[in-house]
């Protein structure tokens, strides 16, 4: 199989300010304090699924140098620069039309760059299974995460019928928006609802033909760009035509409309790390529920906090309960965890 991985890395991660900024968003930061950024961890977990020369990154023009620095093993020609943000459908079309030019039989995984996976062995098993399923047919597979709680911060995938040919894979009944608490509890109880991880698997023939049907405007733009891929005119043509794409997610453009959509439910310790609260839940905590990233952080009479500081800073905290304390580049945030949805507002 001609396996490829497309990493989407254009987001600005505004909910993680001040650690994440428009100049260096969270996918390029060592969020976990493990010595690797989130995009490096994303590339790492595909080792063995596809060779590095078949890895692609789609990102903003302004992050190209960061991607080159953090992922030097990926060929420079595989780092694709979006002239402007246009959501995930044009981002995915960009990569898939370019891959198709040299790899007409490519089998592709598309993944976000800023999620976390704990069990990388199980992750690889699931990816390889999905790639085998999509290799020579017209199926699209989305990865569903088995929910561990009634989460209101994720979209959900409702599974329908189990396949007779492969008991791990189900047809998709519906995609659901982020629910309220009561609906999330109902989903959990029903047992056939899975978190939407935003990871998609298809072959290049399938995705290009499906986009032609359900997002013909986007497909027509990339059909016009296609002859210029791998030529000296490529950058000029992309700068001219890419901004004319409709700004739309792949979920709205394709997934909610297409016919042969399947879900492969999985459990590999996934989190989209969307909030400071989610990060606190994944980091090691002391006996008082505090989680820290930094080399010299000291807490006294404090509980249920998350502290994230640059390495050279000494941080001393006394008497706080349920707070975010985050410092970067001479900016300090002290915010109640229960008010973290206001961080976008604070960062302006």
């Amino acid at each position: 199989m001609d396996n490829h991985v497309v990493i989407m890395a254009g987001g600005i991660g505004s909910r993680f300010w001040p650690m994440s900024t428009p100049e260096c968003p969270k996918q390029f930061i060592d969020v976990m304090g493990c010595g690797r950024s989130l995009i490096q961890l994303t590339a790492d977990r595909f080792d063995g699924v596809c060779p590095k020369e078949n890895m692609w990154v789609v990102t903003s023009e302004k992050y190209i140098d960061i991607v080159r620095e953090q992922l030097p093993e990926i060929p420079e020609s595989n780092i694709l620069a979006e002239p402007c943000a246009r959501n995930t459908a044009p981002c995915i079309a960009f990569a898939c039309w370019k891959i198709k030019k040299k790899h007409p039989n490519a089998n592709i995984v598309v993944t976000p760059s800023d999620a976390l996976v704990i069990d990388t062995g199980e992750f690889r098993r699931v990816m390889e299974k999905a790639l085998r399923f999509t290799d020579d047919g017209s199926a699209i597979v989305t990865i569903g995460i088995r929910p561990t709680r009634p989460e209101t911060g994720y979209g959900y995938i409702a599974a329908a019928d189990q396949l007779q040919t492969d008991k791990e894979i189900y047809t998709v009944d519906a995609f659901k928006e982020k629910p309220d608490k009561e609906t999330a509890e109902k989903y959990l109880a029903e047992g056939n609802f899975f978190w939407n991880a935003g990871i998609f698997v298809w072959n290049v023939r399938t995705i290009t033909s499906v986009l032609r049907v359900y997002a013909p405007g986007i497909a027509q733009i990339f059909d016009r760009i296609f002859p210029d891929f791998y030529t000296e005119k490529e950058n000029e043509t992309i700068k001219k035509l890419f901004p004319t794409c409709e700004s739309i997610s792949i979920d709205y453009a394709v997934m909610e409309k297409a016919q042969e959509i399947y879900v492969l439910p999985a459990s590999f310790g996934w989190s989209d790390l969307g909030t400071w609260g989610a990060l606190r839940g994944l980091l090691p905590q002391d006996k008082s529920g505090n989680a820290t990233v930094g080399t010299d952080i000291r807490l006294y009479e404090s509980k249920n906090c998350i502290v994230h500081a640059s390495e050279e800073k000494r941080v001393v905290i006394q008497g706080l309960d349920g707070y975010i304390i985050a410092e970067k580049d001479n900016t300090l945030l002290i915010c109640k965890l229960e008010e973290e949805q206001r961080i976008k507002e604070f960062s302006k």
Side-chain angles (χ1 to χ4, degrees):
M1 292 191 297
D2 188 10
N3 290 345
H4 293 251
V5 171
V6 174
I7 301 171
M8 299 183 289
I12 59 169
S14 54
R15 288 179 294 178
F16 268 105
W17 181 83
M19 173 185 68
S20 173
T21 63
E23 294 70 44
C24 187
K26 70 168 178 168
Q27 61 266 33
F28 305 119
I29 295 170
D30 178 9
V31 173
M32 303 297 293
C34 65
R36 299 286 279 169
S37 70
L38 291 176
I39 195 170
Q40 288 172 321
L41 291 172
T42 300
D44 291 349
R45 62 177 165 263
F46 282 97
D47 279 349
V49 175
C50 90
K52 288 291 192 286
E53 60 268 23
N54 285 5
M55 285 194 178
W56 304 76
V57 177
V58 189
T59 191
S60 165
E61 281 181 339
K62 63 184 174 183
Y63 304 141
I64 290 291
D65 288 341
I66 305 178
V67 175
R68 283 181 185 146
E69 182 187 329
Q70 294 202 358
L71 297 173
E73 66 277 15
I74 291 182
E76 284 200 21
S77 60
N78 290 16
I79 302 171
L80 310 183
E82 295 178 307
C84 56
R86 279 294 177 269
N87 214 318
T88 53
C91 163
I92 287 167
F94 185 0
C96 290
W97 257 258
K98 176 140 184 178
I99 290 169
K100 186 178 182 180
K101 179 109 189 219
K102 282 194 175 177
H103 305 271
N105 297 310
N107 207 13
I108 301 170
V109 179
V110 175
T111 179
S113 57
D114 56 0
L116 186 74
V117 166
I118 304 298
D119 187 347
T120 54
E122 175 63 7
F123 176 85
R124 282 190 283 271
R125 186 194 72 79
V126 169
M127 291 305 115
E128 286 163 358
K129 177 180 248 320
L131 284 160
R132 284 194 298 274
F133 187 73
T134 60
D135 185 40
D136 56 2
S138 53
I140 292 174
V141 173
T142 181
I143 306 302
I145 306 299
R146 295 185 190 280
T148 54
R149 59 186 182 277
E151 176 60 59
T152 58
Y154 301 152
Y156 284 71
I157 304 162
D161 301 323
Q162 188 178 40
L163 296 193
Q164 294 308 305
T165 51
D166 192 321
K167 302 291 189 188
E168 273 194 271
I169 297 174
Y170 297 76
T171 55
V172 169
D173 181 45
F175 288 86
K176 301 289 189 180
E177 297 289 324
K178 295 174 183 176
D180 58 27
K181 190 72 184 285
E182 186 182 342
T183 307
E185 286 170 350
K186 182 161 97 32
Y187 289 169
L188 198 66
E190 289 188 18
N192 66 317
F193 285 82
F194 305 97
W195 293 337
N196 186 351
I199 301 172
F200 309 108
V201 187
W202 44 50
N203 67 50
V204 76
R205 300 178 303 282
T206 296
I207 187 58
T208 50
S209 64
V210 165
L211 278 162
R212 282 203 176 89
V213 173
Y214 298 107
I218 292 171
Q220 284 161 16
I221 289 164
F222 285 98
D223 282 342
R224 288 172 64 193
I225 296 171
F226 188 77
D228 293 345
F229 280 132
Y230 301 99
T231 74
E232 68 282 351
K233 292 169 66 179
E234 178 176 332
N235 285 346
E236 180 191 341
T237 306
I238 287 161
K239 282 186 176 176
K240 181 178 159 192
L241 294 178
F242 186 91
T244 66
C245 287
E246 177 187 5
S247 181
I248 186 170
S249 73
I250 196 70
D251 294 88
Y252 285 135
V254 169
M255 304 304 288
E256 295 181 2
K257 301 172 185 171
Q259 301 303 308
E260 275 193 79
I261 309 279
Y262 300 87
V263 60
L264 174 46
S267 300
F268 39 64
W270 173 90
S271 170
D272 85 335
L273 283 178
T275 63
W276 283 108
L279 177 57
R280 175 179 162 267
L282 287 161
L283 289 167
Q285 295 179 13
D286 65 18
K287 60 182 184 298
S288 300
N290 300 304
T292 63
V293 174
T295 53
D296 193 1
I297 296 170
R298 309 171 192 190
L299 293 118
Y300 301 89
E301 296 91 50
S302 297
K303 59 186 180 181
N304 307 316
C305 292
I306 175 163
V307 187
H308 204 288
S310 55
E311 290 179 11
E312 66 275 10
K313 294 287 194 297
R314 175 187 293 183
V315 181
V316 181
I317 293 159
Q318 186 275 329
L320 291 185
D321 181 0
Y323 272 79
I324 303 159
I325 302 96
E327 177 277 330
K328 190 184 179 194
D329 296 339
N330 299 316
T331 300
L332 174 66
L333 169 73
I334 302 171
C335 169
K336 286 183 177 178
L337 263 166
E338 63 191 33
E339 295 287 343
E340 67 177 341
Q341 72 279 2
R342 297 177 61 194
I343 286 175
K344 278 188 185 180
E345 166 197 336
F346 300 154
S347 69
K348 288 172 183 168

